[in-house]
Amino acid sequence: MTNERTLKRPEVLAPAGTLEKLKTAIHYGADAVYIGGNAYGLRSRAGNFTKEDMIEGVAFANEHGAKVYVAANMVTHEGNQEGAGDFFREIRDVGISAVIVSDPALIEICATEAPGLPIHLSTQASATNYETLEFWKNEGLERVVLAREVSMDEVAEIRKNTDVEIEAFIHGAMCISYSGRCTLSNHMSMRDANRGGCSQSCRWKYELYDMPFGAERTSLTDKGEVEEEFSMSAVDMAMIQHIPELIQNGVDSFKIEGRMKSIHYVSTVANVYKKAVDTYMEDPENYECKQEWIDELWKVAQRELSTGFYYHVPTDEEQLFGERRKIPQYKFIGEVMAYDAETKVATIRQRNHFSVGDEIEFYGPGFNHFHQTVEVMYNEEDESIDRAPNPMMILTMPVVEPVAVGDMIRKKK
């Protein structure tokens, strides 16, 4: 492994379920985003992009030196591939940087009918060794998203034996099934997880019952204070404390999960990993993970956090059941629409209820943060109000430090 490879700056790749999230992710430091088109993806409930959305998103990304990838990673059944050639040509022609695919049929269609559109192998294809990466390289693919079951030692071995670009998940939800190939949703809710309809049945709460014929069912467990005794739900991944190992082992793209997450989540996580990567690249020898970065990620954490399969096979400690650890939770309450430097007044679009007297936190790109108490605020008629209860309402308030358009506001629940 050469020093050049060791010191190559990785791409921070963020999820973008909507055009708003795409712009937010790039504004907060993402080098690239991945989106879903209106077909062939695995997130049918995400705000998938129309052709017009893609054109606008690609233009915005180009202005900021970023890339846009499209996930087309569904498993096709007979007939599902119809129209795929037209789809791939369309996204190629609007300037998409690459398409992420798992199904060999779609890969073949893309390669033959949309030449010039780079293809990345999806994590759903379960690439876990360098021979597999070399196979896909020979098929014309330039990047492989590793299976989430790959260990850090295996990442190092893969890098030593292939020059294919490596993309790896470093933050977000973990699927309980191998590489996301699940049929539980099909059985529980008649929704095909491998064709974009996952109902996240693994996240449901389960119980064990006695169900005698013709009688009421009764629980066979005494739950007491325990929230869950049976679980298929995995904790989330966070590799913020292991940035050096990921870079030194040649990971080219740091992938953040969450196309259905909020702009609060996307902005926070992209901001943190951008800061961590930049800090390491500036001075690798003296790099240290800062506690404030870890604390920041916990502000948007929905579940406990772990390192997935990177350092050991997950145990019951990486499952969600029993008594939960308490997680500090914040809610996203607004975003800055304008700022008057002379009056030190910010114009804010409300996203969640907050009131005079609340302590709130402003944050922006580059890890700029400050706290203040809401002393006074005004509605669009310039009337003093004591609370902001209406979603998306516009209000103004004085701020104690300068802010910028696109800065976010949150408060602790």
Side-chain angles (χ1 to χ4, degrees), residues 309-336:
F309 284 80
Y310 279 111
Y311 298 104
H312 65 272
V313 175
T315 68
D316 59 334
E317 292 297 317
E318 285 76 40
Q319 292 293 110
L320 294 174
F321 69 97
E323 295 184 14
R324 302 285 184 93
R325 294 201 306 268
K326 298 297 182 184
I327 300 174
Q329 293 192 3
Y330 287 70
K331 70 176 180 179
F332 172 45
I333 61 170
E335 58 192 311
V336 176

Side-chain angles (χ1 to χ4, degrees), residues 20-292:
E20 179 188 35
K21 293 173 188 177
L22 178 151
K23 294 179 179 180
T24 297
I26 293 172
H27 183 60
Y28 276 81
D31 302 295
V33 296
Y34 61 102
I35 67 174
N38 52 19
Y40 308 109
L42 286 184
R43 290 292 182 270
S44 62
R45 289 177 292 156
N48 293 320
F49 283 57
T50 63
K51 179 180 178 180
E52 292 71 26
D53 289 337
M54 286 189 191
I55 292 172
E56 184 176 345
V58 168
F60 182 88
N62 288 341
E63 290 172 7
H64 294 81
K67 297 179 179 179
V68 181
Y69 308 136
V70 169
N73 49 353
M74 73 179 291
V75 175
T76 58
H77 288 232
E78 289 300 333
N80 291 153
Q81 67 271 33
E82 293 179 7
D86 292 336
F87 175 76
F88 290 131
R89 282 191 294 273
E90 180 177 276
I91 65 174
R92 176 199 63 187
D93 293 346
V94 302
I96 295 298
S97 294
V99 63
I100 307 166
V101 191
S102 65
D103 192 304
L106 292 180
I107 291 173
E108 180 71 12
I109 292 169
C110 183
T112 57
E113 298 194 32
L117 176 61
I119 305 171
H120 296 173
L121 189 72
S122 169
T123 189
Q124 267 76 25
S126 299
T128 56
N129 57 76
Y130 72 82
E131 292 91 343
T132 296
L133 271 69
E134 284 292 293
F135 170 86
W136 288 112
K137 175 185 175 181
N138 292 334
E139 292 297 309
L141 277 64
E142 62 182 42
R143 178 184 292 187
V144 169
V145 187
L146 295 181
R148 296 187 217 192
E149 295 78 21
V150 172
S151 71
M152 188 65 77
D153 287 342
E154 289 172 325
V155 173
E157 188 67 18
I158 289 169
R159 172 46 68 221
K160 289 177 184 177
N161 291 280
T162 181
D163 60 358
V164 178
E165 289 186 6
I166 293 174
E167 184 176 306
F169 280 93
I170 51 89
H171 195 93
M174 297 278 287
C175 182
I176 198 65
S177 295
Y178 200 96
S179 293
R181 297 197 303 271
C182 177
T183 58
L184 184 64
S185 176
N186 302 56
H187 291 286
M188 301 296 287
S189 60
M190 300 296 289
R191 285 166 45 178
D192 192 340
N194 298 295
R195 286 192 282 175
C198 182
S199 60
Q200 298 198 350
S201 303
C202 61
R203 304 293 189 190
W204 299 357
K205 296 182 185 297
Y206 290 88
E207 180 61 282
L208 184 63
Y209 294 100
D210 178 22
M211 301 182 68
F213 181 76
E216 289 286 330
R217 71 180 186 181
T218 57
S219 172
L220 293 179
T221 62
D222 180 11
K223 296 176 73 172
E225 297 298 320
V226 178
E227 293 187 19
E228 294 180 58
E229 290 188 289
F230 305 98
S231 172
M232 290 176 281
S233 186
V235 302
D236 288 355
M237 176 191 289
M239 289 292 287
I240 187 61
Q241 294 176 277
H242 304 280
I243 297 299
E245 297 100 307
L246 290 163
I247 296 177
Q248 291 161 12
N249 287 321
V251 176
D252 298 284
S253 180
F254 286 4
K255 189 166 195 172
I256 300 164
E257 183 276 339
R259 275 194 287 142
M260 295 177 65
K261 299 289 181 64
S262 68
I263 61 172
H264 179 212
Y265 175 91
V266 171
S267 61
T268 300
V269 178
N271 210 14
V272 169
Y273 282 98
K274 164 74 169 178
K275 183 67 173 179
V277 168
D278 286 350
T279 301
Y280 177 82
M281 297 307 297
E282 287 168 5
D283 189 0
E285 297 299 323
N286 296 302
Y287 173 87
E288 62 176 324
C289 179
K290 297 185 182 298
Q291 184 61 43
E292 63 181 356

